[in-house]
């Protein structure tokens, strides 16, 4: 139903029927705009009892309380350059935050007989990985292993919740990662199994037998909300909504159809259930996210505030498309039926959406967690085949330059990353080749193989030097 006066799709399903059958951990901007919109859309097609409990573990307790004050209803504005389509989302039935409600409330939710699915948007760093394995030296993991009944990390919370399920004689659940990681379900499963093995081998084998960890590819550009965004939403709604979110119109969700028990019919909302997510995931992580990171670092250094600003510059636009088609596509197994140049053009079109004000500095965050799957996996392939990768080299060098925290014009750049302290130390006492060598020595980013590759180091050193000497725009132009 659409209310012509406000162009808003009001809730059409009976919320009284909803039961807490799904728990979402990491309920932030992306989950509001993506996962919960698919869920809301499904409920509009098939009224059922799939209600969602939403949780956050670290920040955001006040935001969840704000949502409680709105009866857990919030609005989503899907923005293009010309339109803003509004919908109300009523799928949330409860909010939980350990710092507000105690971790026991969250553990009880996981060990509730009604719970069937846990979805996660905890960002790349939420899995506490080192490479492809759980980082047992991660401070949160170390603390949770020593005090597993009072966990603080997502991994610790899920394992303790599953232990309570096992203790109560309940069945397993499906844990569905919705984060931008390659084989996200497999990585999530490995982190949880490696943690549980340390706690109790019997729990480890119970989880291995009774739970499922499907992979999924998620896609919807959802910039962080700003005061201007909330004003825009209020103008469209006719009232303020502190819980609301603005995002692009496009949304995609490709999910491995491997569930421990019942699953929501998200395909009624346009999600795709497949047997193998990998081709979809690699294409999206490398073409969309890899190009996003390329534009974020080089654009921010060159003074571009938003991704759309980069797209308005012919040099950046040409470079982005060239990176996608000449350097990322050759490393892909393209999903059947996908025409890659059309997919690349659709990404350029989405990046050009000026209404989003998607900041380069937002995408620049957590580069140490993003570079491996977005750019380094492709470069690894090029080093094996000898395929040229000049723009990818500029992206890595651009990230290193960005990590010094200053743009070409001398303006400060925010460096938000778990390794930010190390970057600052390196930048304080080195520059040029010595600085690059230090950055290349960061094993959480470059692993063990890259530092030993002279071809890799030489290419990144050369790109860094050119950026330093000629600046981003001139260097990009010379590379096209
Ligand atoms: C972005 C992603 O901030 C970032 O790292 O590249 O959030 C991107 O907007 C989404 O993956 C799009 O689906």
């Amino acid at each position: 139903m659409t209310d012509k006066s406000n162009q808003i799709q009001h809730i059409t399903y009976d919320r009284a029927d909803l039961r807490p059958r799904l728990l979402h951990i990491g309920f932030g901007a992306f989950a509001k705009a993506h996962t919960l919109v698919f869920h809301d859309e499904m409920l509009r097609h098939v009224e059922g009892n799939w209600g969602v409990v939403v949780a956050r573990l670290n920040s955001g307790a006040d935001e969840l309380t704000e949502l409680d004050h709105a009866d857990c209803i919030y609005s989503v504005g899907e923005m293009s350059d010309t339109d803003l389509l509004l919908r109300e989302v009523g799928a949330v039935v409860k909010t939980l935050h350990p710092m507000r409600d105690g971790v026991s409330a969250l553990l009880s939710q996981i060990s509730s007989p009604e719970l069937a699915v846990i979805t996660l948007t905890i960002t790349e760093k939420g899995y506490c990985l080192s490479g492809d394995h759980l980082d047992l030296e991660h401070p949160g993991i170390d603390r949770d292993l020593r005090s597993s009944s009072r966990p603080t990390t997502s991994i610790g919370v899920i394992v303790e919740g599953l232990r309570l399920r096992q203790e109560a004689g309940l069945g397993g659940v499906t844990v569905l990662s919705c984060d931008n990681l390659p084989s996200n379900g497999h990585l999530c499963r490995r982190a949880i199994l490696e943690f549980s093995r340390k706690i109790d081998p019997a729990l480890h084998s119970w989880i291995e037998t009774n739970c499922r960890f499907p992979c999924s590819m998620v896609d919807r550009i959802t910039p962080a909300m700003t005061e201007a965004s909330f004003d825009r939403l209020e103008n469209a709604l006719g009232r303020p909504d502190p819980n609301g979110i603005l995002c692009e119109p496009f949304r995609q969700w490709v999910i491995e159809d491997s569930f421990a028990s019942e699953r929501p019919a998200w395909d009624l909302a346009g999600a795709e259930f497949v047997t193998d997510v990998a081709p979809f995931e690699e294409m999206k992580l490398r073409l969309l996210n890899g190009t996003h990171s390329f534009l974020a670092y080089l654009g921010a250094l060159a003074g571009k505030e938003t991704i759309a600003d980069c797209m308005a510059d012919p040099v950046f636009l040409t470079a982005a498309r060239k990176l996608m088609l000449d350097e990322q596509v050759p490393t892909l197994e393209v999903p059947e039926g996908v025409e890659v140049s059309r997919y690349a053009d659709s990404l350029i079109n989405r990046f050009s959406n000026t209404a989003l004000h998607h900041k380069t500095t937002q995408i620049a965050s957590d580069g140490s967690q993003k570079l491996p799957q977005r750019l380094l996996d492709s470069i690894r392939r090029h080093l094996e085949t000898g395929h040229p990768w000049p723009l990818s080299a500029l992206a890595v060098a651009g990230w290193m330059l960005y990590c010094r925290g200053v743009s070409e014009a001398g303006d400060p750049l925010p460096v938000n990353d778990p390794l930010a302290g190390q970057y600052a130390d390196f930048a304080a006492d080195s520059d040029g080749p010595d600085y690059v060598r230090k950055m290349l020595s960061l094993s959480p980013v470059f692993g063990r193989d890259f530092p030993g590759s002279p071809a890799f180091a030489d290419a990144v050193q050369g790109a860094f030097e050119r950026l330093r000497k000629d600046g981003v725009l001139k260097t990009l132009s010379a590379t096209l």
Side-chain angles (χ1 to χ4, degrees):
M1 179 184 80
T2 300
D3 174 336
K4 290 291 176 207
S5 61
N6 291 323
Q7 287 299 315
I8 184 165
Q9 300 175 72
H10 292 293
I11 296 162
T12 58
Y13 43 89
D14 185 349
R15 300 182 72 221
D17 295 342
L18 299 178
R19 302 296 306 153
R21 301 188 62 194
L22 189 145
L23 168 66
H24 187 95
I25 300 178
F27 184 65
F30 185 77
K32 283 184 178 179
H34 178 274
T35 325
L36 269 293
V37 165
F38 273 95
H39 203 82
D40 177 76
E41 188 65 22
M42 173 196 73
L43 291 171
R44 292 166 187 265
H45 283 79
V46 59
E47 302 217 1
N49 62 358
W50 280 98
V52 186
V53 176
V54 296
R56 293 178 66 164
L57 298 192
N58 304 305
S59 61
D62 293 345
E63 289 172 44
L64 294 181
T65 301
E66 188 73 62
L67 186 58
D68 291 341
H69 293 156
D71 189 23
C72 292
I73 295 173
Y74 68 93
S75 52
V76 178
E78 301 172 351
M79 286 188 304
S80 66
D81 283 332
T82 53
D83 296 317
L84 196 162
L85 177 66
L86 290 162
R87 78 161 60 218
E88 271 182 338
V89 173
V92 178
V93 295
K94 186 177 176 183
T95 72
L96 284 175
H97 198 296
M99 293 177 189
R100 185 192 67 185
D101 312 306
V103 72
S104 55
L106 187 48
L107 296 174
S108 303
Q109 193 58 54
I110 296 175
S111 55
S112 146
E114 292 188 279
L115 188 83
V117 178
I118 299 172
T119 46
L120 303 176
T121 50
I122 55 177
T123 77
E124 297 88 345
K125 55 181 181 286
Y127 297 84
C128 306
L129 298 168
S130 171
D132 289 347
H133 290 275
L134 182 68
D135 180 359
L136 296 174
E137 287 162 22
H138 183 287
I141 294 298
D142 177 55
R143 182 179 53 238
D144 285 359
L145 285 172
R146 283 185 283 109
S147 167
S148 61
S149 61
R150 290 194 307 282
T152 58
T153 63
S154 296
I155 300 301
V157 161
I158 293 169
V159 170
E160 179 60 10
L162 294 177
R163 191 190 65 76
L164 294 171
R165 286 189 76 86
Q166 179 203 22
E167 198 173 71
L170 295 172
V173 297
T174 300
V175 182
L176 173 55
S177 171
C178 302
D179 283 297
N180 285 323
L181 281 171
S183 302
N184 51 14
H186 303 157
L187 287 172
C188 179
R189 178 176 184 275
R190 190 175 298 146
I192 283 171
L193 287 178
E194 289 177 351
F195 187 98
S196 59
R197 187 187 290 127
K198 289 284 184 188
I199 300 291
D200 171 2
L203 173 60
H204 168 269
S205 68
W206 182 86
I207 293 172
E208 198 168 34
T209 308
N210 295 289
C211 296
R212 293 291 178 274
F213 301 84
C215 294
S216 82
M217 182 278 270
V218 293
D219 190 0
R220 174 162 254 189
I221 294 175
T222 309
M225 291 292 278
T226 61
E227 205 176 310
S229 318
F230 282 112
D231 290 347
R232 173 92 195 262
L233 186 56
E234 180 174 348
N235 291 339
L237 266 178
R239 62 177 171 78
D241 181 356
N243 305 298
I245 191 73
L246 294 176
C247 58
E248 66 166 334
F250 179 88
R251 57 184 167 91
Q252 185 178 16
W253 197 8
V254 182
I255 307 164
E256 182 185 357
D257 197 359
S258 166
F259 283 70
S261 58
E262 267 192 286
R263 62 161 168 78
W266 287 314
D267 45 336
L268 296 176
E272 298 161 76
F273 287 107
V274 298
T275 48
D276 183 9
V277 175
F280 297 92
E281 174 189 270
E282 269 189 1
M283 184 172 74
K284 190 260 180 177
L285 281 173
R286 295 182 189 179
L287 265 67
L288 189 155
N289 295 109
T291 310
H292 248 185
S293 292
F294 169 87
L295 294 169
Y297 299 120
L298 295 170
L301 285 166
K304 306 290 185 187
E305 188 191 6
T306 68
I307 292 293
D309 290 336
C310 295
M311 293 295 95
D313 183 321
V315 171
F316 275 93
L317 174 62
T318 308
R321 198 169 189 280
K322 195 171 171 59
L323 173 72
M324 289 181 198
L325 295 178
D326 293 5
E327 298 187 23
Q328 299 288 54
V329 164
T331 70
L332 293 178
E333 184 196 317
V334 177
E336 208 174 312
V338 173
E339 211 284 298
V340 273
S341 64
R342 188 176 304 160
Y343 180 71
D345 288 337
S346 74
L347 293 178
I348 298 287
N349 185 42
R350 291 168 61 193
F351 289 174
S352 304
N353 181 342
T354 56
L356 293 175
H357 299 295
H358 200 182
K359 291 192 173 150
T360 47
T361 52
Q362 175 188 337
I363 298 168
S365 66
D366 293 341
S368 64
Q369 314 283 316
K370 296 177 179 178
L371 248 64
Q373 60 272 19
R374 296 181 178 204
L375 292 158
L376 299 182
D377 285 348
S378 304
I379 292 173
R380 185 173 283 111
R381 180 73 62 82
H382 296 325
L383 289 171
E384 288 161 5
T385 61
H387 186 96
W389 47 283
L391 291 166
S392 306
L394 283 173
V396 176
W399 166 72
M400 290 182 177
L401 205 43
Y402 182 96
C403 289
R404 299 182 66 87
V406 183
S407 74
E408 287 181 344
D411 298 320
L413 293 170
V415 182
N416 299 311
D417 189 302
L419 303 184
Q422 281 194 270
Y423 308 153
D425 292 345
F426 292 167
D429 59 19
S430 63
D431 200 345
D434 189 29
Y435 170 72
V436 171
R437 255 190 305 280
K438 287 179 179 177
M439 291 294 275
L440 287 175
S441 72
L442 291 168
S443 56
V445 184
F446 297 104
R448 307 270 176 233
D449 53 340
F450 278 119
S453 158
F456 179 69
D458 293 349
V460 174
Q461 285 281 9
F464 188 87
E465 243 169 78
R466 289 196 300 280
L467 287 172
R468 264 275 193 237
K469 178 171 154 295
D470 298 330
V472 169
L473 220 44
K474 190 174 171 194
T475 304
L476 277 183
S477 303
T479 312
L480 298 183

